[in-house]
Amino acid sequence: MSGRERREQLVQIGCSVFAQKGYDATSVEEIAARAQVSKPIVYEHFGGKEGLYAVIVDRETSTLLGALETALEDHRAHPRSLMERAALAFLTYIDEREDGFRILVRDSPATHQGGSYSTLLGDVAAKVESILTAQLRLRRYTAADAALYAQMLVGMVAFTGQWWLETRMPSKEEVAARMVNLSWFGLGALEKAPQLRGR
């Protein structure tokens, strides 16, 4: 195996073990044993468990953010279409990279300085906010509400995705359609100055 192939093998094995056991319960010994290499090989490539974990988190974060950015990049598309694409991209990432998603949603070790799941969701919310700002202005709503609504929408998708990871029912297409149904028709009937009515 070339050095590059070995590194990729260790990343794949590490991703599987971290997803199954979490960061604290994973050891370099187990990763090395599964890869059928000695511990020094893991240290040579990553400097230890934390280095391997950082590489995996960075890769998964980039993959998910890239999928979501691609889904949201067509500024000429109807906002509902963008919401559908983003919801489906998120669920497709979960479906195709289950181990990576499990790692992202777990708490990272205190020593890990890279991006976290909450940071990733913040980046996505910022992109959604820019789309909502334009749509709110078109409908003569205050654009100042865009940041709040973006957080709500991204939170709904993220939490639903975590639930769907465990259930896998209904299909990702149906889950995406229902999320968009709730958010789109909720946004479509927004009151300009909502008030709690039970007070």
Side-chain angles (χ1 to χ4, degrees):
M1 220 180 252
S2 70
R4 186 175 178 181
E5 290 169 335
R6 176 67 72 197
R7 182 178 173 85
E8 185 58 31
Q9 178 205 30
L10 292 170
V11 167
Q12 295 301 321
I13 290 170
C15 190
S16 176
V17 178
F18 285 127
Q20 290 169 10
K21 297 188 165 192
Y23 179 84
D24 290 334
T26 297
S27 67
V28 171
E29 289 84 355
E30 181 170 2
I31 292 167
R34 288 197 190 189
Q36 299 179 340
V37 298
S38 64
K39 284 180 6 183
I41 297 291
V42 179
Y43 287 108
E44 177 186 323
H45 283 280
F46 303 101
K49 180 172 82 167
E50 185 181 333
L52 175 57
Y53 181 86
V55 166
I56 293 167
V57 169
D58 289 346
R59 179 183 288 192
E60 294 303 321
T61 299
S62 295
T63 300
L64 177 53
L65 188 56
L68 292 170
E69 286 175 340
T70 299
L72 295 170
E73 71 185 0
D74 184 359
H75 299 293
R76 295 169 298 163
H78 191 277
R80 181 172 176 163
S81 294
L82 292 175
M83 290 173 70
E84 289 174 354
R85 291 179 199 169
L88 192 55
F90 190 80
L91 293 169
T92 298
Y93 168 82
I94 294 170
D95 193 33
E96 294 176 355
R97 298 180 74 99
E98 179 180 325
D99 285 349
F101 184 68
R102 287 186 187 281
I103 290 168
L104 289 180
V105 297
R106 285 184 194 263
D107 291 334
S108 60
T111 55
H112 179 60
Q113 300 299 315
S116 67
Y117 186 57
S118 60
T119 302
L120 170 68
L121 295 180
D123 291 346
V124 174
K127 295 183 184 312
V128 172
E129 180 183 344
S130 67
I131 295 167
L132 286 178
T133 297
Q135 292 304 311
L136 289 170
R137 284 184 178 144
L138 279 174
R139 290 163 175 77
R140 295 193 173 96
Y141 288 88
T142 173
D145 290 341
L148 178 60
Y149 288 125
Q151 293 292 330
M152 292 175 182
L153 288 171
V154 170
M156 177 182 70
V157 173
F159 192 75
T160 303
Q162 288 178 255
W163 169 81
W164 186 75
L165 173 66
E166 304 303 333
T167 63
R168 297 302 176 105
M169 292 291 291
S171 70
K172 65 185 176 188
E173 292 80 10
E174 185 175 344
V175 173
R178 289 181 183 275
M179 282 194 292
V180 172
N181 185 44
L182 175 63
S183 56
W184 182 255
F185 287 104
L187 287 170
L190 281 180
E191 296 176 324
K192 294 199 178 188
Q195 299 284 325
L196 296 177
R197 296 185 183 193
R199 298 175 74 113

